[in-house]
Amino acid sequence: MKSSIVLFFLLLLSNSLIARNKSTINSIEEIAIESNVLAEKRTVIVYLPEGYDKSSESYPVLYLTDGEVHTKHSSGTVDYLSKFRLIPEMIVVGIINTDRNSDLRPTLTRDKKLEIDEGADRFLTFITDEVIQTIDKGYRTLGYKVLSGTSYGGLFAVNAFITKPNVFDAIIAISPSLYWDDQVMLHKAQGLFSAGKAKGTLFLSIAEEQPIMTNAFNSFVSVLEKNPTDNVNWMTKKISDETHNTAVLLGQYYGLKSIFNGWSIPEQAPQNLKQLLSRYRKMSHQLKSQIVLPEDRANGYGQWLMHLNRVDEALELFKWNTKTYPSSTIAYETLGLAEEKTGHLHDAKNSFEIALNISRKNNPSEVARFELNLKRINDAIGKDQEAIIP
Amino acid sequence: MKSSIVLFFLLLLSNSLIARNKSTINSIEEIAIESNVLAEKRTVIVYLPEGYDKSSESYPVLYLTDGEVHTKHSSGTVDYLSKFRLIPEMIVVGIINTDRNSDLRPTLTRDKKLEIDEGADRFLTFITDEVIQTIDKGYRTLGYKVLSGTSYGGLFAVNAFITKPNVFDAIIAISPSLYWDDQVMLHKAQGLFSAGKAKGTLFLSIAEEQPIMTNAFNSFVSVLEKNPTDNVNWMTKKISDETHNTAVLLGQYYGLKSIFNGWSIPEQAPQNLKQLLSRYRKMSHQLKSQIVLPEDRANGYGQWLMHLNRVDEALELFKWNTKTYPSSTIAYETLGLAEEKTGHLHDAKNSFEIALNISRKNNPSEVARFELNLKRINDAIGKDQEAIIP
């Protein structure tokens, strides 16, 4: 029986997202950037969160290399994880390749036959000075930025962690080609840590791969282990049953969950206002921006607390909702119903009156419902008074 | 050294997809269906595969319940898995909810207080008679159909497996609510197996969930275990570190990989023509439609075989490509280069001449390249003859 109830409230909490009045199709935009840094025209694909057009919120941004391959599944994963509130909603920006070998590899190869030039630093400058600038100008972004790359793109992402530690708040490097150029990243990383300049969050994953990949990966992890610092938060994930080519979707999934570890609220227990506000303070700290507890979430936890007969905590949440979302008829109606149920009839009357006034201004279709609520309350108050008079 | 080479060819094979001239944005369409079965207007979201508009191919279809929540990540997963050739490209159709409790639950609940009606059979008729019909009429579909659902949607999918075993080729049931109505699905399934009518492919997953969920799940799996039949191919997956609410993306990922188990070609070894054609015969059998080895894939394996000095097998693949894709200049050029490299100069000359003729008709920008190839070959043939004359 107990398990059924927990299940019911889980469904209630997750169903609340279904009720949101949002478009079911995300906006996807293709942007051309005339790059001075690269001296060529480049294309980026931008996936906006569901409801972007109808909201005024700002969002963190996930930047991806190999955008033509990895933007779709990554934006699907962001959509999923954010719907279930394991990570925040994000704008996803995929940078389309022209010559990935040249763009993503950080140093001149020792193998002259391949005839490639160093390009990663230039490509990183393109991202920091032109792509990010374009996105920040064109969309509502928060300062929080993630860079994610795979294979050579993972090498590139690690290079960004090392050479520009102040640009990205978190780096996701999936099956990074750290063997490149005699494991040049190891030496660069060692230098960074020795200089005390390492900073940020770094997620690294490796699948079941060739020794050339895993050896370099393990050596790099050793550098991280030998240089503990409060300024760097790093984690690794071994992805079993997948190869270098097939581990990217899972790498992105675990990477996003890892860098937003602590974002989700444990499902097993309801949360009261104090606990929720504490969590949202931590979220705000991570995103360097004030993240406000959403109305439907406060409402869901309030319902759960009501069900558990933790009435005072439930009322506290519902009241917080009316103060934080003062034009929400649902907030006042929910508060009113809880007050009615707990015998606070005059408070309930007051809440329904406010809901009625708001609905008259903003949403006439709700007026009849609140009038009914009020009539029921007034009748109940009348009966109470009759009961007292004799 | 050996591992570097394998890695190189893996990248070559996977990079070939980057070269495809396809739009990087999939077409997403929203369709309204005036349902006679449900007596209401319903909405479905259709995600078309990359390049749908430019191809004439037909595709299998993945149908989803709870479309407003699960279509984006599922279509991202389909895009990813098909890009890396672990599953075929698919059209993804998400059915948007109006009243999911009524639509997805298969029997009248014993709990009269909930006041719900049975609706799953009616909703299934809506899908089979109206949604599938609409999709088959509006898009290029193969007969192969998958139904995937989660929670009540998983219960609904299992109900479809039992009540209409001839409609869907495969069913994905993620964290199905099999506890529903005193585990009514167990009895229905037992009846189906006893009558010898069970048929198709069934994938079931369960996360770390409430006992009410896991107990019913395990009981249902027992029914499958006790009723082995060649007509049913079933598999289960335990998804660790995830709950009922958070396991859906992974459930879909593993479900799709499982029902197309055998679709991917092992990465460790190159394949010759005979091996590849054998695999494509199996794929064709699964999709009940002829699936042809793609040109770029045959080309990639041919290059790999050339590198390993398995010249005859490489040439066989390149020749197959020119016969199967007779208007492809790349097929003739690749064959010509391989023939040149292996000393078959007159064959090479012939191949380059055909490439030149095709390019004159279809793609003038390539003409100069093939003329250069031809000149080089003619010079080489001339030198050979000079060498013989004296």
Side-chain angles (χ1 to χ4, degrees):
Chain A
M1 184 60 190
K2 196 187 160 217
S3 64
S4 307
I5 289 170
V6 172
L7 195 68
F8 174 76
F9 280 101
L10 291 184
L11 295 176
L12 185 144
L13 285 170
S14 62
N15 276 353
S16 69
L17 55 91
I18 293 171
R20 290 187 207 166
N21 183 23
K22 286 183 172 181
S23 164
T24 48
I25 297 181
N26 297 43
S27 291
I28 307 170
E29 296 173 3
E30 195 175 273
I31 297 178
I33 298 178
E34 286 290 351
S35 169
N36 294 320
V37 175
L38 300 177
E40 64 178 349
K41 191 171 112 178
R42 296 297 292 255
T43 305
V44 302
I45 306 289
V46 183
Y47 279 68
L48 297 173
E50 212 171 86
Y52 178 93
D53 292 338
K54 288 181 186 166
S55 89
S56 56
E57 277 179 61
S58 295
Y59 302 88
V61 186
L62 170 63
Y63 291 92
L64 304 172
T65 55
D66 293 323
E68 65 276 34
V69 183
H70 297 304
T71 315
K72 266 166 230 161
H73 70 82
S74 300
S75 65
T77 298
V78 165
D79 181 81
Y80 174 76
L81 290 173
S82 63
K83 272 210 173 81
F84 288 90
R85 290 167 162 158
L86 301 170
I87 67 169
E89 291 186 290
M90 302 181 86
I91 295 170
V92 180
V93 177
I95 301 162
I96 306 298
N97 284 316
T98 53
D99 179 353
R100 78 187 290 268
N101 288 351
S102 160
D103 283 345
L104 300 178
R105 298 192 296 203
T107 50
L108 200 73
T109 175
R110 304 273 182 263
D111 184 349
K112 301 296 180 200
K113 275 185 294 180
L114 288 180
E115 287 177 5
I116 64 136
D117 207 325
E118 62 183 336
D121 289 341
R122 198 174 54 223
F123 189 59
L124 184 56
T125 302
F126 161 64
I127 295 179
T128 56
D129 293 7
E130 298 185 319
V131 178
I132 291 176
Q133 209 179 29
T134 303
I135 298 301
D136 282 345
K137 205 179 279 179
Y139 301 93
R140 299 189 308 273
T141 60
L142 293 178
Y144 191 88
K145 287 182 279 293
V146 182
L147 173 67
S148 171
T150 296
S151 194
Y152 283 154
L155 175 74
F156 176 80
V158 169
N159 188 51
F161 174 80
I162 293 171
T163 60
K164 297 206 177 180
N166 293 307
V167 174
F168 296 100
D169 299 274
I171 297 281
I172 295 173
I174 300 161
S175 301
S177 305
L178 294 169
Y179 68 86
W180 182 252
D181 195 8
D182 290 338
Q183 307 190 352
V184 64
M185 281 304 139
L186 270 71
H187 311 293
K188 283 191 164 198
Q190 189 55 64
L192 179 78
F193 281 105
S194 300
K197 288 183 177 168
K199 196 184 150 190
T201 296
L202 177 62
F203 169 89
L204 300 155
S205 71
I206 188 91
E208 291 176 3
E209 313 202 14
Q210 306 288 333
I212 192 176
M213 281 284 180
T214 51
N215 292 344
F217 186 90
N218 293 336
S219 302
F220 189 84
V221 170
S222 296
V223 173
L224 296 173
E225 283 169 343
K226 283 178 194 153
N227 292 278
T229 157
D230 287 347
N231 295 330
V232 176
N233 175 24
W234 63 271
M235 43 265 183
T236 63
K237 172 89 183 172
K238 171 72 194 273
I239 299 177
S240 303
D241 300 324
E242 301 285 353
T243 69
H244 184 81
N245 280 331
T246 67
V248 190
L249 184 145
L250 294 182
Q252 199 77 285
Y253 178 84
Y254 291 120
L256 288 165
K257 278 184 73 173
S258 293
I259 64 176
F260 290 107
N261 180 24
W263 194 267
S264 69
I265 298 179
E267 291 179 358
Q268 294 77 23
Q271 308 279 311
N272 63 25
L273 180 63
K274 193 180 161 194
Q275 290 165 323
L276 287 168
L277 292 184
S278 162
R279 288 199 164 267
Y280 274 80
R281 266 194 300 277
K282 281 181 201 154
M283 294 176 182
S284 301
H285 179 74
Q286 180 170 8
L287 293 195
K288 298 172 288 183
S289 169
Q290 210 202 341
I291 314 294
V292 182
L293 172 62
E295 182 189 348
D296 60 345
R297 194 162 211 193
N299 194 325
Y301 279 109
Q303 304 283 0
W304 194 349
L305 290 166
M306 275 296 282
H307 181 85
L308 297 174
N309 220 17
R310 289 164 62 177
V311 174
D312 290 345
E313 291 165 295
L315 286 174
E316 190 184 29
L317 263 173
F318 295 142
K319 280 177 192 162
W320 181 89
N321 246 357
T322 61
K323 276 182 201 152
T324 313
Y325 303 97
S327 63
S328 164
T329 52
I330 292 176
Y332 279 102
E333 184 185 26
T334 308
L335 176 62
L337 290 169
E339 288 165 336
E340 179 183 4
K341 203 169 179 181
T342 54
H344 300 86
L345 296 184
H346 289 279
D347 291 342
K349 182 180 174 182
N350 183 46
S351 297
F352 287 134
E353 279 172 351
I354 297 174
L356 178 62
N357 287 336
I358 300 169
S359 69
R360 280 189 178 133
K361 265 187 253 170
N362 301 341
N363 197 356
S365 71
E366 293 182 320
V367 166
R369 195 168 85 240
F370 298 130
E371 284 177 344
L372 267 180
N373 280 334
L374 260 180
K375 186 177 179 310
R376 189 180 64 246
I377 286 288
N378 282 327
D379 289 352
I381 290 175
K383 274 186 201 155
D384 270 12
Q385 287 173 335
E386 282 167 29
I388 294 166
I389 292 166
Chain B
M1 183 59 190
K2 195 186 162 219
S3 63
S4 307
I5 289 170
V6 172
L7 195 67
F8 174 76
F9 279 101
L10 291 184
L11 295 176
L12 186 144
L13 285 170
S14 62
N15 276 353
S16 69
L17 55 91
I18 292 171
R20 290 187 206 167
N21 182 23
K22 286 184 172 182
S23 164
T24 48
I25 297 182
N26 297 43
S27 291
I28 307 170
E29 296 173 3
E30 195 175 274
I31 297 178
I33 298 178
E34 286 290 351
S35 169
N36 293 320
V37 175
L38 301 177
E40 65 178 349
K41 191 170 113 177
R42 296 297 292 254
T43 305
V44 301
I45 306 288
V46 183
Y47 279 68
L48 297 172
E50 213 171 85
Y52 178 93
D53 292 338
K54 288 181 185 165
S55 89
S56 57
E57 277 179 61
S58 295
Y59 302 88
V61 185
L62 170 63
Y63 291 92
L64 304 172
T65 55
D66 293 323
E68 65 276 32
V69 183
H70 297 304
T71 315
K72 267 166 229 162
H73 71 82
S74 300
S75 65
T77 298
V78 165
D79 181 80
Y80 174 77
L81 290 173
S82 63
K83 272 210 173 81
F84 288 90
R85 290 166 162 158
L86 301 169
I87 67 169
E89 291 185 291
M90 302 181 86
I91 295 171
V92 180
V93 177
I95 302 163
I96 306 298
N97 284 317
T98 53
D99 179 353
R100 78 187 289 269
N101 288 351
S102 160
D103 283 344
L104 300 178
R105 298 193 295 203
T107 50
L108 200 73
T109 174
R110 304 272 182 263
D111 184 349
K112 301 297 182 201
K113 275 185 294 179
L114 288 179
E115 287 178 5
I116 64 137
D117 207 326
E118 62 183 336
D121 289 340
R122 197 173 55 223
F123 190 59
L124 184 56
T125 302
F126 161 64
I127 294 179
T128 56
D129 293 8
E130 298 185 319
V131 178
I132 291 176
Q133 208 180 30
T134 304
I135 298 301
D136 283 345
K137 205 179 277 179
Y139 301 93
R140 299 189 308 273
T141 60
L142 293 178
Y144 191 88
K145 286 182 280 294
V146 183
L147 172 67
S148 171
T150 296
S151 194
Y152 283 154
L155 175 74
F156 175 80
V158 169
N159 188 51
F161 174 81
I162 292 171
T163 59
K164 296 207 177 180
N166 293 307
V167 174
F168 296 100
D169 299 273
I171 297 281
I172 296 173
I174 301 161
S175 301
S177 304
L178 294 169
Y179 68 86
W180 182 252
D181 195 8
D182 290 338
Q183 307 190 352
V184 64
M185 281 304 139
L186 269 71
H187 311 293
K188 283 191 162 196
Q190 189 55 64
L192 179 79
F193 281 105
S194 300
K197 288 183 177 167
K199 195 183 151 192
T201 296
L202 177 61
F203 169 90
L204 300 155
S205 71
I206 187 90
E208 292 176 3
E209 313 201 14
Q210 305 289 334
I212 192 176
M213 281 283 180
T214 50
N215 292 344
F217 187 90
N218 293 336
S219 303
F220 189 85
V221 170
S222 295
V223 173
L224 296 173
E225 283 169 344
K226 283 178 193 151
N227 292 278
T229 157
D230 287 348
N231 295 331
V232 176
N233 175 24
W234 63 272
M235 43 265 184
T236 63
K237 172 89 182 171
K238 171 73 194 274
I239 299 177
S240 304
D241 300 324
E242 301 284 354
T243 69
H244 184 81
N245 280 331
T246 67
V248 189
L249 185 144
L250 294 182
Q252 199 78 285
Y253 178 84
Y254 291 119
L256 288 165
K257 278 184 72 173
S258 293
I259 64 176
F260 290 107
N261 180 24
W263 194 267
S264 69
I265 298 179
E267 291 179 358
Q268 293 77 23
Q271 308 279 311
N272 63 25
L273 180 63
K274 193 180 162 194
Q275 291 165 323
L276 287 168
L277 293 183
S278 162
R279 288 199 165 267
Y280 274 80
R281 267 194 300 277
K282 281 181 201 154
M283 294 176 182
S284 302
H285 179 74
Q286 180 171 8
L287 292 195
K288 298 172 288 184
S289 169
Q290 209 201 343
I291 314 293
V292 182
L293 172 62
E295 182 189 348
D296 61 345
R297 194 162 211 193
N299 194 325
Y301 280 110
Q303 304 283 0
W304 194 349
L305 291 166
M306 275 297 281
H307 181 85
L308 298 175
N309 220 17
R310 289 164 62 176
V311 174
D312 290 345
E313 290 166 295
L315 286 173
E316 190 185 29
L317 263 173
F318 295 142
K319 279 177 192 162
W320 181 88
N321 246 357
T322 61
K323 276 181 200 152
T324 312
Y325 303 97
S327 63
S328 164
T329 52
I330 292 175
Y332 279 102
E333 184 185 25
T334 308
L335 175 62
L337 290 170
E339 288 165 336
E340 179 183 5
K341 203 168 179 181
T342 54
H344 300 85
L345 296 184
H346 288 279
D347 291 342
K349 182 180 174 182
N350 183 45
S351 297
F352 287 133
E353 279 172 351
I354 298 174
L356 179 62
N357 287 336
I358 300 169
S359 69
R360 279 189 179 133
K361 264 186 254 170
N362 301 342
N363 197 356
S365 71
E366 293 182 318
V367 166
R369 195 168 85 240
F370 298 130
E371 284 177 344
L372 267 180
N373 279 335
L374 260 180
K375 185 177 179 311
R376 189 180 63 247
I377 285 288
N378 282 327
D379 288 353
I381 290 175
K383 273 185 201 154
D384 270 13
Q385 287 173 335
E386 281 168 29
I388 294 165
I389 293 166

